[in-house]
Amino acid sequence: MRRTKALLIGINYHQPNPSFNSWGPLSGPHRDVRRMLEFLSLTPWTYDEIRTLTDEADPTKVYRNNIIENLEWLVEGSSPRDSLLLHYSGHGYQRPTRSPTEDDGFDETIVPADCPYPPSRPGSDEDCPVG
């Protein structure tokens, strides 16, 4: 049986975690998630399960651990016939790669709402961002 799942993430960074330095606030990610939901409702591709994560009402929804849990939900039990969609709107970051597959020597990552700016604390490069 073919499964279809989508995970839509939008982070505006308007409610920074006080224990971290703040990434600059953005104005479009929540709107981007709403537009993706609208787009998905108008396309011939139907997704049986759609999850959205934003910091609109609760910034902890887009903290690192919750994003990772939802990424695991997206791919768990998937097979080659499944259709999985990940949409992310928020800050991105580059960090030195751990594999030789990147020609530029950097991995591109997403930046959760609880990620320090820049990732400069000891161990923060391992903990944050998600990549």
Side-chain angles (χ1 to χ4, degrees):
M1 180 174 141
R2 182 174 181 264
R3 295 179 345 162
T4 55
K5 295 166 85 173
L7 175 59
L8 314 177
I9 303 170
I11 309 174
N12 279 7
Y13 306 91
H14 286 292
Q15 301 173 20
N17 181 331
S19 66
F20 296 104
N21 293 323
S22 176
W23 291 81
L26 300 173
S27 61
H30 297 167
R31 181 181 60 240
D32 293 345
V33 167
R34 287 190 296 273
R35 286 182 174 171
M36 278 301 295
L37 280 169
E38 181 181 345
F39 170 76
L40 292 176
S41 73
L42 299 173
T43 66
W45 306 287
T46 305
Y47 286 85
D48 297 325
E49 299 176 76
I50 299 175
R51 287 189 182 179
T52 61
L53 302 177
T54 72
D55 55 349
E56 203 160 18
D58 179 3
T60 64
K61 296 281 186 188
V62 288
Y63 278 14
R64 183 180 188 276
N65 288 341
N66 196 50
I67 290 174
I68 290 172
E69 274 182 32
N70 280 274
L71 289 169
E72 289 170 351
W73 164 83
L74 182 65
V75 300
E76 72 181 303
S78 63
S79 70
R81 291 183 31 94
D82 295 342
S83 292
L84 308 177
L85 171 71
L86 171 64
H87 168 84
Y88 173 76
S89 184
H91 284 297
Y93 188 74
Q94 287 186 311
R95 68 174 178 201
T97 188
R98 296 181 202 140
S99 82
T101 60
E102 292 287 339
D103 291 337
D104 66 357
F106 291 93
D107 288 328
E108 288 68 32
T109 66
I110 65 174
V111 179
D114 60 338
C115 183
Y117 176 85
S120 58
R121 288 197 250 170
S124 65
D125 190 46
E126 291 300 315
D127 297 337
C128 196
V130 176

